[in-house]
Amino acid sequence: MLCKNLETYNLRYFLKALVLGQFISLLLCGTAVSTGLLQQQGVNIPTAQSFFNYVLLCLVFTTILSCRREGRSMCEILRKWGWRYFLIAIVDVEANYLVVKAYAYTTVTSVQLLDCFSLVSVMILSRLFLHARYRIQHLGGAAVCLLGMVGLVLTDVLVGKNDNAASNVALGDVLIIVGATLYGVSNVCQEYVVRTYDKVEFLAMVGLFGSFINGAQFAILERDEVASLDLTSYKIVVPLVVFVICLFLLYSTMTVVIQLTSATTVNLSILSADFYTLLFGLFLFNYKFHVLYFVSFAVIIIGLAIYSTTPTSPALQTGENDSKTSPEFPEQEINYKTSSELPVGTSKSATSLENTVRQESNLDSINTDTGQNEDSVSKTI
């Protein structure tokens, strides 16, 4: 019974991680394709593009946070956690900037390969600060996913996709490594906040502080480029709008996916984004097709399946004064009495598994007490 419940839970966990993770990959693909269309028109304003996303996050989620009555108030958040969210926003803004900036100095191949360092960063930080326990299945699954990513990059090289010249490879590689590391820091902070507090709070604060930080940065670095944009051309306006919408949905959805799975699972899933970019690029950018793209994509999915066979178990609480641990993982102790008390993302299989263990434990204690009583009666006789 225990094995059956555990297998059912793991299957649901994998399917949930697969579907939601690939949706995020499609959104990430949308940002890449729209940026490519803008570059075809000679538009290169990565900081300004992200600025519109932060403003939209601020307008939507800060308004929701200010109007709602449950949870922490805006004043309380700014007083207790304001400086923390300010640092998280800096990390997030600079991660976006450094990764995009690296394209100007190094090859696309280097960017794609070294960008995977964010996965290593997430796994290390999750182990240190979220107390995630990685087993051999997790390490093996992550290795298989990275192997699939390497296959995608090598196929790009075979078809001649990554033939751009590099002006300063060393500087570009350093920028991408630092940017990928900052992505990892941002994702782990995001996982902690959405599990400890809630998604709206994280998005509202990142949008609020990110708007000021990113706005000041693009006003200094890209002021002239933005002023010279031809906003009457649909070839510029449409990709720009698509980029902002995809990035806004990416931020909004990622908080949900991280809460239901983990930051590591998300980073494994988005390795397939290059595959979707290829499919769009076949029609928009005249990319060449190769069957190894499908093979590499399949390897990434297999690696994700291996990783999902045994969920990690972070010892992370869901509230400041709440003793309930994260409900995602079946091996953790869960003290809920009824199914109505389960938070969002809690698996009923995990709960039934816990109840079964408790019932068996109670039966053992009853049998032990019965045996002791029989011994006492025998001695008395």
Side-chain angles (χ1 to χ4, degrees):
M1 184 67 179
L2 291 175
C3 294
K4 183 178 180 180
N5 287 335
L6 188 58
E7 290 175 358
T8 302
Y9 174 80
N10 288 339
L11 177 60
R12 291 179 179 176
Y13 180 87
F14 165 67
L15 294 177
K16 180 171 59 179
L18 176 63
V19 174
L20 295 176
Q22 295 314 298
F23 179 68
I24 288 182
S25 289
L26 285 172
L27 293 175
L28 191 61
C29 165
T31 62
V33 171
S34 56
T35 299
L37 292 174
L38 288 173
Q39 290 178 347
Q40 283 187 341
Q41 303 301 317
V43 178
N44 187 18
I45 51 171
T47 307
Q49 290 174 217
S50 299
F51 171 71
F52 297 120
N53 168 63
Y54 288 114
V55 171
L56 193 57
L57 288 174
C58 180
L59 291 176
V60 174
F61 292 102
T62 303
T63 302
I64 296 175
L65 183 63
S66 302
C67 296
R68 72 178 187 180
R69 295 184 178 181
E70 69 277 2
R72 301 199 299 177
S73 65
M74 175 74 76
C75 295
E76 180 184 359
I77 294 171
L78 292 175
R79 185 177 68 254
K80 294 183 177 180
W81 265 69
W83 65 273
R84 294 183 178 93
Y85 282 121
F86 179 77
L87 294 179
I88 294 175
I90 291 178
V91 169
D92 193 72
V93 170
E94 298 310 321
N96 289 325
Y97 175 76
L98 291 176
V99 170
V100 176
K101 192 68 175 178
Y103 282 92
Y105 298 101
T106 188
T107 63
V108 178
T109 303
S110 295
V111 173
Q112 289 177 314
L113 286 175
L114 295 177
D115 194 34
C116 297
F117 193 78
S118 62
L119 174 61
V120 179
S121 175
V122 166
M123 294 186 73
I124 294 175
L125 293 175
S126 296
R127 180 68 185 91
L128 293 176
F129 299 103
L130 302 183
H131 307 291
R133 294 182 296 183
Y134 296 111
R135 301 177 182 178
I136 188 65
Q137 296 96 323
H138 302 123
L139 300 179
V144 173
C145 285
L146 290 176
L147 180 63
M149 182 62 193
V150 172
L152 284 176
V153 175
L154 291 179
T155 307
D156 286 342
V157 175
L158 289 176
V159 300
K161 176 183 172 184
N162 298 330
D163 55 359
N164 61 308
S167 60
N168 192 334
V169 175
L171 176 59
D173 290 350
V174 170
L175 290 178
I176 191 63
I177 291 175
V178 175
T181 304
L182 292 180
Y183 269 138
V185 174
S186 177
N187 289 340
V188 172
C189 291
Q190 184 175 355
E191 180 175 353
Y192 175 80
V193 173
V194 299
R195 291 185 183 278
T196 307
Y197 299 105
D198 62 83
K199 302 179 290 293
V200 173
E201 178 178 321
F202 177 84
L203 293 172
M205 292 297 100
V206 169
L208 177 63
F209 290 110
S211 298
F212 289 102
I213 298 170
N214 191 273
Q217 185 166 313
F218 105 76
I220 296 173
L221 300 177
E222 299 174 358
R223 180 177 62 255
D224 296 334
E225 288 83 351
V226 173
S228 62
L229 285 180
D230 181 14
L231 298 180
T232 61
S233 174
Y234 73 94
K235 293 184 179 180
I236 294 178
V237 174
V238 172
L240 186 59
V241 172
V242 171
F243 176 88
V244 174
I245 293 176
C246 288
L247 193 59
F248 173 78
L249 292 176
L250 177 65
Y251 271 71
S252 303
T253 307
M254 186 171 287
T255 56
V256 178
V257 181
I258 285 180
Q259 187 180 47
L260 295 178
T261 57
S262 67
T264 305
T265 304
V266 171
N267 276 266
L268 288 173
S269 300
I270 62 177
L271 292 178
S272 60
D274 286 340
F275 173 76
Y276 299 117
T277 303
L278 162 76
L279 296 182
F280 284 96
L282 292 174
F283 303 97
L284 298 176
F285 307 118
N286 297 321
Y287 288 165
K288 296 179 181 179
F289 174 77
H290 199 288
V291 68
L292 289 179
Y293 281 118
F294 285 100
V295 175
S296 301
F297 176 76
V299 171
I300 293 176
I301 300 301
I302 292 173
L304 182 61
I306 295 174
Y307 181 90
S308 302
T309 55
T310 306
T312 55
S313 177
L316 187 63
Q317 295 181 344
T318 57
E320 286 182 292
N321 299 318
D322 192 357
S323 60
K324 303 181 183 76
T325 54
S326 174
E328 174 195 356
F329 308 99
E331 63 267 32
Q332 285 186 273
E333 181 179 359
I334 304 176
N335 297 322
Y336 299 107
K337 296 180 181 179
T338 64
S339 60
S340 61
E341 293 177 315
L342 296 175
V344 176
T346 302
S347 172
K348 292 183 180 179
S349 299
T351 308
S352 62
L353 179 62
E354 180 68 20
N355 291 334
T356 304
V357 174
R358 288 180 178 177
Q359 290 173 3
E360 292 182 354
S361 181
N362 291 335
L363 289 175
D364 292 339
S365 62
I366 291 173
N367 292 335
T368 302
D369 293 340
T370 302
Q372 292 177 352
N373 291 335
E374 290 176 353
D375 293 339
S376 299
V377 172
S378 300
K379 290 180 180 180
T380 303
I381 295 174

